C-alpha cells in the first residue's frame, strides 16, 4: 500500500511539472504563429516615455512610480540591452509567467492529493487562449507574473491556515505583500490586497473564537484534520498589516497619477443608473458569460444574429450559478476548514467583476465586459469554482447527487467553452500575424509620413497601430526607434 501511494505521489509530481511545461510550449507556439516583432498599441506610449535612455533616474523616480509597475523598468533595461527592445521578449515573459501560475496550482494539487482530471481541467483554463489579447500585447507580461505571485502568496497563506506551514512561511507572509504590491502588481494589487486582508481578518476571528471555547472543546477542535494552526491572532494581525501598509503606500503614489480615458462619456454612475438601471446587471452578466466562451466569439455571434443578448445573459447566469453553488459548498460543508484557497479565489474573481464594472462603466458599453484583456482577472473565480468542486468530490460523503451533477455539468461546460475559444483562436492566428506583418512592413515609413499621409493609409495609422492619442506621438515613437536602431530598425 505504501509503495502504491509513493508511486501515485511521483506520478502526481511528474504531471504537475510536465503539464505546465507543455502549456508553456503551447503558448510559445501560439505567439510564434499569431504575432511578429513590431511596436504598437501601449508600446507607442512606452517608447515615448522611457526610450532611449532606460537608465534615466528622472523617468523612474516620479511621484506615481508605484503605479508604473517597477519590475517593468528592470525588464525594459534587459530588453533594450540584450534584445534591442523586442516585443517577442515580453510576450515570452508573459507565457513563462502563466506557466509559473500553473506550477503554483500544481503544488496545491500535490499537497491535497487531488485527482488528475481536476489538474487537467485547471491547466486547460490556465492556458486557455481566451486571454489572447494580453498574450499578444507583450506590455502586459508583468500582469501575468503578478497573478502568479498572487496565487503563490495565497497558497502560502493556505498552508498557515491549515497548520501545514513550512519553514519560512511566516517570513514569506510578511515580505511577499511588499514585493508584490510595490514591485509588480500595479493596479491589479487592489483585489489581491482586499482578499489577503479579508483572509487575515478571518484568521484573527477564528483564533479569537477558539480562545473563547472551553479547553475541552478547543482540544477536540484542534484534533480535527485541517484545523491546526500554530499562530494566534497576533500573527494574523501582522499578516494583515503586512498587506495594508504597502497598499496604503500604493494608494498614496496613485494619487499623483494622471489618467486619461478616451471615449468616456463623463457621466457619473448615478446619472447612468437613472437612465439605464439595468446596465450594471447586463454588464456583469456579460463579463461572466465571457469566461464560458470567449468574448470576441460572443460579440461575433450576436453581430451575426446567431444568438441574442438575452442568450448571452443566460450564459452569464449559468456562470453566476457556479459561483453561488461553490460559495454554498464552501459554507455548507466547511470546505474552507480543509482549505481556504478556493474561497480566496472565489472572492477575488467576484470582486474583479465588480472592479471592472466600476472602472469601465464610464464608457457605457456593456460589450466592454467581453474584452479578452479582462480574462486574466475573471478566470480567478473560475479556478476557485473548479477547486471547490474538486475538494467536494474528495469529501465524498458530503456531496449530494444534485451537487455532483451540477459540478459535472459546469466543469464540462467550462472545458468545452474554453476549448472552443482556444480552437477558434488557433484558427485566427494566421490572420493576426498578417496584421502584425503589415505593421512591420509599414513601420520604416512611419517616421517620415505627414499627419495627412498617416490618416490616408488603409487602415489609418492610428487604427493599424491601435494608438489613437495623436499621430505626432506615433511618429515620434518610430523616430526614437529609428535613431537608436531598436525593434524593427535593428
Amino acid at each position: 500500500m505504501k509503495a502504491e501511494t509513493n508511486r501515485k505521489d511521483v506520478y502526481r509530481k511528474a504531471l504537475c511539472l510536465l503539464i505546465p511545461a507543455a502549456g508553456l510550449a503551447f503558448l510559445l507556439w501560439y505567439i510564434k504563429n499569431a504575432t511578429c516583432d513590431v511596436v504598437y498599441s501601449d508600446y507607442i506610449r512606452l517608447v515615448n516615455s522611457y526610450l532611449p535612455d532606460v537608465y534615466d533616474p528622472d523617468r523612474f523616480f516620479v511621484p506615481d512610480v508605484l503605479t508604473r509597475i517597477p519590475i517593468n523598468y528592470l525588464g525594459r533595461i534587459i530588453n533594450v540591452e540584450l534584445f534591442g527592445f523586442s516585443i517577442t521578449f515580453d510576450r515570452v515573459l508573459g507565457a513563462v509567467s502563466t506557466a509559473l501560475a500553473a506550477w503554483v496550482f500544481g503544488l496545491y494539487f500535490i499537497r491535497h492529493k487531488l485527482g488528475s482530471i481536476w489538474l487537467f481541467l485547471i491547466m486547460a483554463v490556465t492556458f486557455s487562449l481566451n486571454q489572447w489579447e494580453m498574450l499578444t500585447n507583450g506590455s502586459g507580461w508583468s500582469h501575468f507574473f503578478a497573478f502568479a505571485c498572487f496565487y503563490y502568496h495565497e497558497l502560502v497563506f493556505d498552508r498557515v491556515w491549515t497548520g501545514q506551514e513550512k519553514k519560512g512561511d511566516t517570513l514569506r507572509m510578511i515580505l511577499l505583500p511588499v514585493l508584490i504590491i510595490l514591485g509588480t502588481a500595479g493596479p491589479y494589487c487592489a483585489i489581491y490586497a482586499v482578499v489577503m486582508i479579508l483572509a487575515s481578518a478571518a484568521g484573527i476571528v477564528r483564533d479569537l473564537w477558539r480562545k473563547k471555547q472551553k479547553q475541552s472543546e478547543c482540544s477536540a477542535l484542534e484534533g480535527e484534520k485541517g484545523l491546526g494552526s500554530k499562530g494566534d491572532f497576533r500573527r494574523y494581525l501582522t499578516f494583515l498589516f503586512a498587506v495594508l501598509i504597502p497598499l496604503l503606500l500604493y494608494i498614496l503614489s496613485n494619487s499623483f497619477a494622471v489618467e486619461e480615458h478616451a471615449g468616456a462619456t463623463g457621466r457619473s454612475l448615478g446619472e447612468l443608473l437613472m437612465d439605464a438601471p439595468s446596465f450594471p446587471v447586463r454588464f456583469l452578466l456579460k463579463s461572466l458569460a465571457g469566461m464560458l466562451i470567449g468574448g470576441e466569439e460572443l460579440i461575433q455571434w450576436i453581430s451575426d444574429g446567431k444568438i441574442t443578448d438575452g442568450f448571452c445573459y443566460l450564459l452569464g447566469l449559468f456562470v453566476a450559478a457556479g459561483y453561488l453553488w461553490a460559495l454554498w459548498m464552501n459554507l455548507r460543508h466547511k470546505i474552507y476548514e480543509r482549505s481556504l484557497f478556493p474561497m480566496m479565489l472565489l472572492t477575488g474573481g467576484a470582486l474583479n467583476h465588480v472592479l471592472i464594472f466600476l472602472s469601465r462603466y464610464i464608457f457605457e458599453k456593456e460589450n466592454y465586459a467581453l474584452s479578452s484583456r479582462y480574462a486574466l482577472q475573471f478566470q480567478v473565480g473560475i479556478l476557485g469554482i473548479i477547486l471547490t468542486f474538486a475538494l467536494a468530490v474528495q469529501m465524498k460523503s458530503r456531496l449530494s447527487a444534485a451537487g455532483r451533477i451540477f459540478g459535472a455539468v459546469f466543469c464540462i461546460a467550462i472545458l468545452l467553452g474554453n476549448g472552443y475559444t482556444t480552437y477558434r483562436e488557433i484558427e485566427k492566428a494566421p490572420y493576426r500575424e498578417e496584421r502584425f506583418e503589415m505593421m512591420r512592413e509599414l513601420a520604416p515609413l512611419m517616421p517620415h509620413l505627414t499627419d495627412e499621409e498617416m490618416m490616408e493609409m488603409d487602415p489609418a495609422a492610428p487604427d493599424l497601430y491601435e494608438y489613437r492619442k495623436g499621430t505626432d506621438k506615433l511618429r515620434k515613437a518610430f523616430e526614437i526607434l529609428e535613431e537608436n536602431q531598436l525593434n524593427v530598425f535593428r
Side-chain angles (χ1 to χ4, degrees):
M1 181 65 71
K2 185 176 181 180
E4 183 180 352
T5 301
N6 289 337
R7 282 196 299 271
K8 288 183 178 179
D9 288 342
V10 171
Y11 169 73
R12 191 175 286 110
K13 290 177 181 178
L15 282 181
C16 292
L17 288 175
L18 292 176
I19 296 180
L24 173 59
F26 168 68
L27 293 185
L28 294 178
W29 174 85
Y30 169 74
I31 289 170
K32 178 182 181 297
N33 288 278
T35 67
C36 68
D37 204 337
V38 59
V39 164
Y40 79 112
S41 188
D42 292 339
Y43 281 98
I44 303 300
R45 174 183 57 81
L46 295 175
V47 170
N48 286 326
S49 299
Y50 300 107
L51 269 58
D53 187 3
V54 290
Y55 295 99
D56 186 355
D58 292 337
R59 299 173 189 265
F60 181 84
F61 294 107
V62 292
D64 63 330
V65 61
L66 300 180
T67 69
R68 310 287 183 92
I69 311 181
I71 196 174
N72 278 333
Y73 289 89
L74 175 60
R76 196 173 299 118
I77 290 171
I78 295 173
N79 195 350
V80 170
E81 293 292 346
L82 299 182
F83 302 99
F85 200 61
S86 167
I87 311 308
T88 300
F89 171 74
D90 287 348
R91 291 167 178 151
V92 170
L93 289 180
V96 170
S97 297
T98 303
L100 288 176
W103 173 73
V104 172
F105 281 97
L107 293 177
Y108 184 84
F109 272 75
I110 291 172
R111 181 158 65 91
H112 286 276
K113 301 183 184 299
L114 296 173
S116 300
I117 187 172
W118 299 108
L119 178 62
F120 284 119
L121 184 54
I122 285 287
M123 295 301 163
V125 173
T126 302
F127 290 104
S128 169
L129 292 183
N130 64 353
Q131 51 202 351
W132 67 268
E133 190 173 355
M134 289 283 284
L135 285 168
T136 55
N137 188 336
S139 64
W141 76 266
S142 57
H143 304 324
F144 285 99
F145 181 68
F147 274 85
C149 293
F150 298 163
Y151 297 144
Y152 180 69
H153 188 190
E154 291 165 358
L155 182 73
V156 173
F157 185 95
D158 192 58
R159 289 202 299 251
V160 175
W161 173 269
T162 57
Q164 299 173 317
E165 64 186 283
K166 296 181 178 180
K167 183 179 180 181
D169 275 355
T170 297
L171 182 60
R172 291 186 185 94
M173 288 295 300
I174 295 172
L175 295 181
L176 281 173
V178 178
L179 298 175
I180 294 172
I181 294 175
L182 302 185
T184 188
Y188 291 88
C189 74
I191 301 303
Y192 151 75
V194 170
V195 169
M196 297 310 302
I197 288 172
L198 290 175
S200 299
I204 294 172
V205 171
R206 186 181 68 168
D207 281 328
L208 289 175
W209 174 258
R210 285 177 174 177
K211 287 186 177 182
K212 292 181 179 180
Q213 306 305 302
K214 295 178 181 179
Q215 188 62 41
S216 60
E217 293 175 344
C218 286
S219 298
L221 191 61
E222 289 295 328
E224 292 185 19
K225 183 178 180 181
L227 291 181
S229 179
K230 295 180 180 179
D232 56 18
F233 83 97
R234 292 184 183 85
R235 185 162 63 148
Y236 283 111
L237 189 62
T238 301
F239 296 161
L240 190 153
F241 278 101
V243 176
L244 183 60
I245 291 173
L247 176 63
L248 292 176
L249 290 175
Y250 178 87
I251 293 173
L252 175 63
S253 180
N254 189 60
S255 67
F256 296 101
V258 178
E259 297 183 3
E260 297 180 6
H261 294 291
T265 64
R267 293 203 300 172
S268 68
L269 179 58
E271 292 172 324
L272 173 61
L273 292 176
M274 289 291 292
D275 287 347
S278 66
F279 180 79
V281 176
R282 290 184 280 115
F283 186 100
L284 289 171
L285 287 177
K286 281 196 172 181
S287 70
L288 289 164
M291 291 314 299
L292 186 61
I293 299 174
E296 190 175 62
E297 295 303 317
L298 291 175
I299 291 174
Q300 188 62 52
W301 287 354
I302 294 171
S303 176
D304 294 343
K306 294 180 179 178
I307 64 171
T308 63
D309 282 319
F311 183 78
C312 191
Y313 301 146
L314 286 176
L315 293 179
L317 282 172
F318 176 73
V319 177
Y323 266 97
L324 294 174
W325 192 88
L327 176 62
W328 168 253
M329 290 297 294
N330 270 280
L331 297 176
R332 173 67 176 81
H333 301 301
K334 298 184 178 180
I335 294 175
Y336 60 84
E337 292 182 345
R338 182 179 180 83
S339 173
L340 193 64
F341 191 38
M343 183 69 89
M344 296 169 78
L345 295 174
L346 285 173
T347 304
L351 290 178
N352 272 317
H353 283 281
V354 175
L355 177 66
I356 293 303
F357 167 73
L358 292 176
S359 62
R360 291 294 177 264
Y361 79 84
I362 56 177
F363 301 104
E364 298 187 27
K365 296 179 181 179
E366 63 184 66
N367 280 350
Y368 262 53
L370 294 172
S371 174
S372 171
R373 71 185 66 179
Y374 307 131
L376 179 62
Q377 294 165 267
F378 294 160
Q379 79 175 16
V380 174
I382 301 299
L383 296 172
I385 295 172
I386 295 172
L387 284 186
T388 298
F389 292 165
L391 290 172
V393 168
Q394 196 175 56
M395 302 160 65
K396 296 180 182 178
S397 61
R398 301 188 180 186
L399 190 60
S400 66
R404 288 177 180 275
I405 293 172
F406 181 81
V409 170
F410 186 91
C411 290
I412 290 172
I414 289 294
L415 182 62
L416 293 177
N418 278 252
Y420 175 77
T421 303
T422 298
Y423 166 74
R424 288 287 295 137
E425 189 52 42
I426 291 173
E427 285 191 326
K428 295 175 184 177
Y431 303 102
R432 299 201 190 283
E433 185 180 34
E434 285 181 10
R435 187 175 180 86
F436 280 112
E437 288 176 345
M438 183 186 299
M439 295 184 204
R440 187 176 178 87
E441 289 175 3
L442 295 174
L445 303 177
M446 298 306 295
H448 314 289
L449 296 179
T450 64
D451 292 347
E452 291 75 15
E453 289 172 329
M454 286 189 185
M455 298 307 297
E456 290 172 358
M457 292 169 56
D458 185 21
D463 294 327
L464 177 62
Y465 289 94
E466 299 178 21
Y467 189 82
R468 302 171 182 85
K469 297 181 181 179
T471 52
D472 55 332
K473 294 181 180 179
L474 195 59
R475 184 185 305 106
K476 180 184 175 183
F478 283 99
E479 287 175 352
I480 292 173
L481 294 174
E482 184 180 40
E483 291 172 3
N484 295 274
Q485 299 296 292
L486 297 171
N487 195 248
V488 295
F489 298 98
R490 291 185 68 191

